[in-house]
Amino acid sequence: MSQNSKSPIQYPALLSKSMAFESQSHKKDYSPEVSGAGVFDDVYAIPMLPKQQLEVDSNAKPHFNFQLPDPRLAVKDFFRTREVAEFVSGAMAGAMTKAVLAPLETIRTRMVVGVGSKDIAGSFIEVIEQQGWQGLWTGNAINMVRIIPTQAIELGTFECVKRAMTSSQERWSKTEKPSIHFGPVNLQFSLSWISPVAVAGAAAGVVSTLACHPLEVLKDRLTVSPEVYPNLSVAVSKIYRDGGLGAFYAGISPTLVGMLPYSTSYYFMYETMKKTYCLKKKKNSLNRIEMLLVGALSGFTASTISFPLEVARKRLMVGALQGKCPPNMAAAISEVIREEGLKGLYRGWGASCLKVMPSSGITWMFYEAWKDMLLVNRNHL
């Protein structure tokens, strides 16, 4: 290699220099001034990047650019979901309804469990004479605490299960149905005969009952025996001391038994009447007054069907306070029939309808109104 080849190599001419370099009898020497040259067998490669771009600044401090996700965006997306909007609508509807109808709930509970007067007017007068007007709202604080999660869970569960069942039926109808062959007999399974509304109504009642039954027990104790349970903290401590955690689930079995027919028929009647009325009137939705009336009728029907079970359930829940508690629901119903006849199974039915009908109507009216505000004209996840 000539002396001139040892001069600094000019980078724009690297390609031509490397070709000339390779042709000199394949000598395995190369200019030491070119840093980063590499040898791969007999082929020599010279980097094409300027030397100054390969240098590392040893004085530079390491910098890590790590950014946590903004939790506000996650919270915002969460509250934009349809499920959250339905739960919030149910909670608000329940709270507003109970604030208006608390006196009727007090009278209904007293008559069902057999405390005081046996008629509605007499019960009103009796409560006012003994406790004043405030007595009509006895237990309303715990009632509000109870109804907000109960209605949120119940209505939210109803909407979720109804959508899931409807979607499952649609997918099932588009696929090949499972079948069993017995010789010439071919049995095909289908979901078309199952009502998504009925299943959703039953699920709503069961889930809300399991979640909120302790609050129902507290509300009944505060309403029926305010002298024994003057406030919520005393009631909680006394019930726990007397029976432990299990005492808060007293009567859970009859409650579930009574809830299933009520909840199923309640939601089924509301959805069926609403759909039938809209088809007949050729309209897409009900107005507020129509919601009030349809909700009231659905509550009346469901209460009438399941009321004997409600009487037995209340007897079991507060029977211990009177020193006699039937062992099960069948025994409670037999006891009522033996003491008061068949009409005893509907004792307090008038007060119950007086409370259930406006409660159901107002709840559906408020619920649909809140859903309109939270769901309409928004993009939901």
Side-chain angles (χ1 to χ4, degrees), residues 19 48 61 89 111-112 127 168 175 211 242 250 273 275 300 330 361:
M19 294 174 64
M48 302 299 293
K61 296 181 179 180
S89 299
M111 294 189 68
V112 167
V127 171
S168 298
T175 59
D242 293 343
M273 286 190 289
K275 183 177 180 180
F300 171 80

Side-chain angles (χ1 to χ4, degrees), residues 31-328:
S31 176
E33 284 84 357
V34 181
S35 62
V39 181
F40 299 93
D41 197 13
D42 288 334
V43 179
Y44 295 81
I46 300 176
M48 302 299 293
L49 294 176
K51 183 177 180 180
Q52 59 269 25
Q53 292 187 9
L54 300 176
E55 294 179 351
V56 178
D57 186 1
S58 59
N59 296 324
K61 296 181 179 180
H63 177 67
F64 299 99
N65 187 15
F66 178 74
Q67 185 178 2
L68 290 173
D70 189 353
R72 293 176 298 179
L73 295 177
V75 173
K76 183 178 179 180
D77 290 341
F78 175 73
F79 281 100
R80 285 176 55 219
T81 60
R82 172 176 292 275
E83 289 76 14
V84 170
E86 290 166 347
F87 272 70
V88 172
S89 299
M92 295 301 298
M96 296 170 75
T97 301
K98 288 302 177 185
V100 175
L101 300 177
L104 292 177
E105 174 68 15
T106 299
I107 297 302
R108 171 180 172 273
T109 301
R110 290 173 62 90
M111 294 189 68
V112 167
V113 301
V115 175
S117 177
K118 295 184 179 181
D119 61 85
I120 298 174
S123 293
F124 266 107
I125 295 173
E126 189 174 72
V127 171
I128 294 172
E129 289 178 347
Q130 294 177 357
Q131 306 174 40
W133 286 101
Q134 296 86 349
L136 294 174
W137 275 266
T138 299
N140 189 54
I142 184 61
N143 210 14
M144 293 290 286
V145 173
R146 177 188 69 87
I147 201 61
I148 290 175
T150 299
Q151 286 294 100
I153 294 171
E154 186 173 326
L155 288 166
T157 301
F158 171 72
E159 298 281 9
C160 291
V161 175
K162 183 177 71 172
R163 277 197 302 272
M165 282 292 300
T166 302
S167 177
S168 298
Q169 284 186 335
E170 292 175 354
R171 290 196 304 268
W172 189 285
S173 63
K174 296 177 182 178
T175 59
E176 185 178 354
K177 302 177 180 64
S179 60
I180 299 178
H181 299 275
F182 293 100
V185 180
N186 182 19
L187 299 177
Q188 283 192 336
F189 295 94
S190 175
L191 294 178
S192 60
W193 60 274
I194 300 176
S195 170
V197 175
V199 174
V206 171
V207 172
S208 64
T209 298
L210 292 175
C212 303
H213 186 76
L215 297 175
E216 177 76 9
V217 173
L218 286 169
K219 187 266 297 183
D220 285 343
R221 298 289 178 93
L222 289 169
T223 301
V224 175
S225 301
E227 66 283 353
V228 180
Y229 306 99
N231 54 58
L232 181 59
S233 60
V234 172
V236 170
S237 61
K238 184 173 177 58
I239 292 174
Y240 180 77
R241 185 173 62 250
D242 293 343
L245 290 176
F248 291 98
Y249 279 89
I252 185 63
S253 296
T255 297
L256 290 174
V257 172
M259 177 58 67
L260 276 173
Y262 175 82
S263 183
T264 303
S265 58
Y266 174 63
Y267 286 99
F268 181 79
M269 290 299 298
Y270 177 78
E271 290 288 327
T272 302
M273 286 190 289
K274 181 176 73 170
K275 183 177 180 180
T276 302
Y277 184 83
C278 288
L279 288 175
K280 184 177 181 180
K281 296 294 183 179
K282 297 180 180 180
K283 54 195 305 185
N284 295 325
S285 61
L286 304 176
N287 60 39
R288 301 294 178 234
I289 300 301
E290 290 168 343
M291 289 177 190
L292 182 67
L293 294 176
V294 171
L297 286 174
S298 62
F300 171 80
T301 304
S303 179
T304 302
I305 292 173
S306 62
F307 195 78
L309 297 176
E310 176 72 4
V311 171
R313 181 177 75 88
K314 292 291 185 181
R315 283 286 184 107
L316 289 171
M317 288 181 64
V318 300
L321 299 177
Q322 301 174 345
K324 53 178 183 178
C325 184
N328 51 56

